[in-house]
Amino acid sequence: MRDAQPQSIYLKDYCQPEYWINQTELTFELQEDATVVTAVLTLEANNAGNQSGVLELQGQQLELLQLALDGTTLAADAYTVTDDSLTITGLAQQHQLSIVTRIDPAANTALEGLYRSGGMYCTQCEAEGFRRITYYLDRPDVMSVFTTHIIADGERYPVMLSNGNCIADETLADGRRQVSWLDPHRKPAYLFALVAGDLLHKEDHFTTMSGRDVTLRIFVEPQNIDKTEYALDALKRSMRWDEEVYGREYDLDIFMIVAVDDFNMGAMENKGLNVFNSSCVLANPATATDAAYQRIEAIVAHEYFHNWSGNRVTCRDWFQLSLKEGFTVFRDASFSADMHSATVKRIEDARMVRTVQFAEDGGPMAHPVQPDSFIEIANFYTVTIYEKGAEVVGMIHKILGADGFRKGSDLYFERHDGQAVTIHDFVAAMEDANGIDLTLFKRWYKQAGTPVVSAEVDYRADEQALYLTLRQQCPDTPGQTNKQPMWIPVQLGLLDANGQDLPVQVTPSVNAAGMETWTAASQVLHLTEAEQTFVFSGLESQPVLSLFRDFSAPVKVEFEQSAQDLLFRLQHDSDGFNRWDAGQRLMLGWIDQARLDEFELPEDARQVMAELLSDDTLDPAMVSYLLTLPSEAYIAEFSDQVDPHAIHLGRQRVRLAMAMALNEQFAACYQRLLSHAEYQPEPQQMAARTLKNLALSYWSVASDAGVRQALAQFGSSDNMTDQMAALQALICSGDDELAQQSLEAFYQQWQNDALVVNQWLSVQAGSADLGTLSRIQQLLEHEAFDWRNPNKIRSVIGAFANQALCHFHAQDGSGYRLLADAVIRLNATNPQIASRLLTPLTKWRRLVPALSEQMKEQLERVAAQPDLSRDVYEIVSKSLA
Ligand SMILES: [Zn+2]
């Protein structure tokens, strides 16, 4: 908390530090009332940093006990301490600085730095948490070799962990235990980690491609020891995949994961010691859904992949955050695509980008993948940095092809191993390895906003040619106007009357960047100017155009295609992603119609959908996505002015119409996929369950037989995927008493399992049928709820504001008020979580006027609070600007 208005930090102001810290030796004395931290820093002046003999270290909420330079205690007038810093003047070339501070982990509710979670100690230092542990140059370009000694009561804390390899474990004269760790790899402070607690672990081993043995351990609280198997398996598969696909080998003797209940993020890639939110690592069939298994697999892979893309090569400053995050999300997405269905993974990613990232681009927090400025870096762990950053890397992959991309990544790792670098360095490695100029492409990193590409076709029968004119334009965003054209890879296909892909001959053959316009291997057209016309020749009749296959660029597409063409593509497109996209566009049209009037499913669409449901040669997971209606949030992104109640009504009507028209087919599909095989979290079973449970959700909307089946599945299933799907179907059945009884039974069964209880909370809070304001208030007062635990806050308030849209947008503004109250409350205890919860309130400008006014009022109420954290201040002030 601070008095002065928080200031922005600018990328253009970056300069190197005046000192480096070559060695960092830390000693933690963990005591029940407080922790004493001794830091011994080996300093060396950075001559390029224009040395002035002044060292300013960052530090927050620290009590300074002692300060010594080269063994001599510093006089009080030799340094200055403020709320955020410690400044020492008159320094020479080299020094050893010793700092003793006292901190209070038990009182740390912000969950940044060192804190208590249940009975254990743990840390979260990214981005700027290390400054809550000791005074330090807390910036990623300062890389140091860390040695860590942990001293504590060995009986209370039998497990004491830090980064690197364990080098000593001894009993001190006073009976306390001291465990020492050395991490030989230089790293920034944000990758530091410490864990101490009474934990159990599961162990496994991995032999690397050069034949080294690595010990793998997952540490959990004792009650969770039966939930570690899947994460260990996912870890081994990730290690193997990174060797095979990127040639990257693990570099320490041990790799550890610790599960923690109170955690702001999903997980953290600390060197050799990943700390995970327990919801992102713990699973067994009875308690975790298939979706949870897949999330765990992806996050374990993501954090492991950071060992190279993030840790070995790290970021120079936080404006480069997407250097490690965009690249690593791209890597984990490729891994998931290889483990499951590439089409389904692409659909999930595009859905996320279109729903959440496009919304961010269109709102007050719009920022480029490489931002120019920020007030609080914690606010920039965004879908733009992560998901759009990954899409940008994916476009480089599309432009260079798999082999070219691998050459580029090899050069990047080789050239920059052990360094803190920039996004520019990453692109330069891609360019140099492939002899290509990506100058124009780099606009993707600097320009915020979602480009809009409009397409116009003109088929000329006399020339047997199709003229395709593409125009691109990127809307203004806060602080950015008059944007330049981007390099947009347009993957496309032309379908003949039977739905077969036609061969493509196109002119012009070279684009503005000197690149071939069309490469048959990747089927990609390169749009690089504001407007370009491409001529496809040799076409005897007018083909159906399939544009932006595989979601080849994160753009909005304006292309009028008839319902008939969309249905044709849903049925025939050889690109699975575009089959889905065509279906979604068709459904958006229906929902738009159904806002105004009752709706009946067109007969031709009914036939195509019935065929999809009975075709057992198709991937059931893909069929399930093809028949899933767009979410209300997704529909909102396709509306100019958002009326959440009209969207809800339209979607409900279409859902009912589909359920009625295809009732028999859904029932038959469900029966066909019903299996009595033992549950396994493996791709084929997961795919079948996805479609089976989608069929159940429609079937139970339209008929009592479906509801009876849901009830039977709820009572008899041996796995959480089926039990939760049945519970959801019962909640949507319209029978309130049945829904209530089922929820009650579910809670009785699972009340002692925190992760399942979180699912129980969110299935109610996020439900259009149940998530009313009074229900939310009940849940907030329930014994299972806890304001200190981020997972519980997300399960109730997050689910309510992001999913139960018809209640969140209640006409009287009560939903907005509830969210604002929560933000105000959390601002004082956990600013990161408070700030993240705020996002739904930033969308007021696009709402229908009556709601817009009420939402704005609540934002203004938050803005008027005294003692706003930097996190909340930044979002609120930008949203109202
Ligand atoms: Zn990451």
Side-chain angles (χ1 to χ4, degrees), residues 269 302-303 306 324-325 328-329 386:
E269 71 263 24
H302 178 96
E303 306 307 335
H306 267 315
K324 74 177 179 79
E325 295 305 342
T328 305
V329 171
Y386 279 65

Side-chain angles (χ1 to χ4, degrees), residues 869-881:
S869 61
R870 267 197 314 209
D871 310 61
V872 172
Y873 171 83
E874 178 168 33
I875 306 281
V876 173
S877 59
K878 288 181 176 173
S879 300
L880 289 170

Side-chain angles (χ1 to χ4, degrees), residues 735-755:
D735 183 336
D736 290 348
E737 211 180 300
L738 190 60
Q740 206 44 54
Q741 282 166 4
S742 313
L743 281 165
E744 197 53 46
F746 189 90
Y747 184 71
Q748 289 307 322
Q749 187 180 354
W750 294 113
Q751 54 185 315
N752 295 320
D753 189 302
L755 293 177

Side-chain angles (χ1 to χ4, degrees), residues 125 184 238 301 335 473 666 821:
C125 293
S238 311
F335 169 76
Q473 176 266 331
F666 282 123
D821 285 342

Side-chain angles (χ1 to χ4, degrees), residues 626-735:
L626 295 182
L627 297 175
T628 299
L629 285 167
S631 71
E632 292 177 15
Y634 185 98
I635 301 163
E637 278 316 299
F638 284 81
S639 323
D640 293 328
Q641 191 178 56
V642 179
D643 181 347
H645 300 283
I647 289 174
H648 180 69
L649 176 68
R651 188 178 183 277
Q652 291 292 93
R653 281 178 171 161
V654 173
R655 188 173 69 130
L656 185 63
M658 283 173 64
M660 305 274 277
L662 294 159
N663 182 43
E664 280 169 36
Q665 287 79 4
F666 282 123
C669 175
Y670 179 90
Q671 301 293 357
R672 171 167 66 85
L673 293 167
L674 200 56
S675 157
H676 298 287
E678 193 200 350
Y679 176 94
Q680 294 292 336
E682 57 87 25
Q684 277 187 335
Q685 273 200 13
M686 285 183 181
R689 275 190 293 272
T690 307
L691 181 55
K692 180 192 74 175
N693 285 325
L694 178 91
L696 180 64
S697 75
Y698 279 109
W699 186 21
S700 58
V701 163
S703 83
D704 291 342
V707 177
R708 281 195 300 277
Q709 188 58 51
L711 200 57
Q713 179 171 315
F714 179 72
S716 66
S717 58
D718 64 348
N719 66 82
M720 187 50 69
T721 309
D722 285 340
Q723 195 182 12
M724 186 52 79
L727 179 62
Q728 266 166 331
L730 294 169
I731 288 174
C732 300
S733 68
D735 183 336

